[in-house]
Amino acid sequence: MSRPPLTVGIIPNPASGRDLRRLTANAGLFSSTDKASVVQRLLGAFGATGVRRVLLPTDMTGIAAAVLKASRGRHAQDNRWPELEILDIRLRQTVEDTRQAARLMAERGVALVAVLGGDGTHKAVAAEVGDIPLLTLSTGTNNAFPELREATGAGLAGGLFASGRIPPEIALRRNKRLLVREARRGLCEWALVDVAVSPLRFVGGRAISRAEDLAEVFVTFAEPHAIGLSALCGLWCPVSRQAPEGAWMRLHPEAREALLAPLAPGLLQGCGVVAAGTLEPGVAHSPGLSGGTLALDGEREIEFAAGDQPTVTLDSHGPLSIDVEATLAYAARHRLLSIGREHPQHPVNLSCRNNPGEQQ
């Protein structure tokens, strides 16, 4: 019985990079044409590293149609793109489209899923695919979780891992997450980067763009160069992706100390800092407010009141993602992208060229 072709999935969120923050801030626009171009660059890298089939969901903005047309052209044939299969899903133009595509890919046994979107898109995919690794690409507004990188290099890293040439202990990174639970309602949600507590009573427009609408922030990691709610901790008490702990901050407009932070691209706000500290794994924290809303990865999703307050807990059981830098560094040390002159499009494994005693 023949083995199935090596298959990966690509999920571009058509709505990412196009939300309200184009009006409330100066966030840039990531068009469908841009996303189709990113997908095509991924296809070229995947084909060069041994991937034979790519699953791509249909959409209403022309991304899949543009990629399908390109896949039939001379450039795709010359560069031996993988076979492209369009997943025909029932489109609702909501996050359920992303979740449905992710579920179908998991059922098909893909080796990884490349995700084009922001923090929310990556969270939606991660919730459906279990331990299938994510290849993260930033095309959204809140982009703390997916790091900004060019798709060609990311695709090479993903393809090398999917084809079995990079050990999992090198290529994969286990991410942290924040669990949000409320026992009475049976609520259990999670966030990849941040959970913010807001005094606003209703979900409304979802995004938080005013300092006075923030009471607390909990983060899995916080980098000083981040944009978004995690930037509050990143500029006050930074914590790395690799550290086991997270961070928290309590805010109030009349606090004695204030921090100037970029809550969205082009949107700088002075935020009053009451207190901040380390968020230890496994310790449940209740919001300091008796009622309000919780924003998960930048968007308000949960309303709560006295008597049904949720808890926020950091744990280390988030999704797996491809560590692009570590993967490509390993590929460089082991000459995994060396090619034979007679087959210029097909890298060959020349790991025997390693120097004696080189670290694996």
Side-chain angles (χ1 to χ4, degrees):
M1 186 175 180
S2 62
R3 296 176 60 184
L6 178 60
T7 304
V8 305
I10 302 177
I11 299 181
N13 179 2
S16 68
R18 300 170 63 183
D19 66 13
L20 185 64
R21 280 159 286 199
R22 273 83 211 147
L23 300 176
T24 60
N26 289 310
L29 179 68
F30 209 102
S31 70
S32 296
T33 301
D34 295 329
K35 293 168 189 172
S37 178
V38 170
V39 173
Q40 291 172 54
R41 298 200 295 275
L42 285 173
L43 289 173
F46 286 156
T49 49
V51 174
R52 292 293 168 256
R53 179 179 294 161
V54 169
L55 308 182
L56 179 71
T58 188
D59 65 278
M60 292 185 180
T61 65
I63 298 172
V67 175
L68 182 61
K69 181 180 179 180
S71 71
R72 295 167 176 165
R74 180 67 180 269
H75 176 79
Q77 295 172 11
D78 290 347
N79 288 276
R80 302 192 182 186
W81 283 10
E83 173 193 350
L84 182 65
E85 180 180 340
I86 304 298
L87 298 178
D88 188 13
I89 64 176
R90 180 184 176 187
L91 295 173
R92 299 174 176 84
Q93 292 190 282
T94 68
V95 69
E96 182 56 30
D97 296 346
T98 294
R99 291 172 178 156
Q100 185 182 355
R103 287 194 295 269
L104 289 173
M105 291 176 184
E107 291 169 5
R108 294 283 296 274
V110 296
L112 63 82
V113 179
V115 184
L116 283 63
D119 296 339
T121 306
H122 284 80
K123 180 184 69 172
V125 174
E128 303 294 340
V129 301
D131 273 351
I132 296 174
L134 307 182
L135 180 62
T136 68
L137 291 159
S138 170
T139 63
T141 306
N142 280 355
N143 294 303
F145 183 75
E147 296 170 281
L148 187 63
R149 56 171 61 93
E150 213 290 315
T152 309
L156 288 174
L160 286 169
F161 167 75
S163 60
R165 282 178 275 180
I166 309 291
E169 60 271 22
I170 298 292
L172 300 183
R173 177 170 61 199
R174 176 70 71 178
N175 295 277
K176 296 174 279 187
R177 64 179 179 175
L178 292 165
L179 293 175
V180 178
R181 294 192 178 102
E182 198 280 297
R184 190 173 67 83
R185 290 183 289 175
L187 177 70
C188 185
E189 299 286 346
W190 50 279
L192 290 173
V193 181
D194 52 62
V195 173
V197 182
S198 172
L200 296 172
R201 296 286 177 169
F202 303 104
V203 168
R206 295 188 178 272
I208 294 179
S209 56
R210 301 188 308 171
E212 58 264 36
D213 294 336
L214 286 166
E216 290 175 277
V217 176
F218 302 91
V219 299
T220 56
F221 66 93
E223 297 167 326
H225 58 269
I227 302 293
L229 301 184
S230 71
L232 288 161
C233 291
L235 292 169
W236 193 272
C237 49
V239 59
S240 74
R241 295 173 187 259
Q242 291 75 32
E245 72 275 6
W248 62 269
M249 178 177 284
R250 190 172 302 125
L251 303 112
H252 193 278
E254 298 180 3
R256 294 181 60 183
E257 291 188 278
L259 172 68
L260 184 66
L263 299 186
L267 181 64
L268 292 162
Q269 294 267 303
C271 304
V273 179
V274 176
T278 299
L279 187 64
E280 297 294 343
V283 180
H285 295 262
S286 297
L289 301 179
S290 59
T293 49
L294 295 185
L296 279 60
D297 289 328
E299 297 191 346
R300 283 174 285 153
E301 297 183 19
I302 299 170
E303 299 171 2
F304 68 94
D308 62 0
Q309 281 187 308
T311 61
V312 180
T313 308
L314 175 71
D315 80 10
S316 59
H317 304 300
L320 292 169
S321 60
I322 303 293
D323 188 328
V324 173
E325 288 76 11
T327 298
L328 293 180
Y330 181 94
R333 291 195 303 272
H334 293 264
R335 304 294 192 270
L336 297 187
L337 292 172
S338 295
I339 56 176
R341 291 181 181 272
E342 68 279 12
H343 298 295
Q345 295 299 326
H346 292 277
V348 293
N349 187 336
L350 298 180
S351 57
C352 58
R353 292 184 180 178
N354 299 335
N355 292 327
E358 182 182 25
Q359 183 178 358
Q360 300 294 304

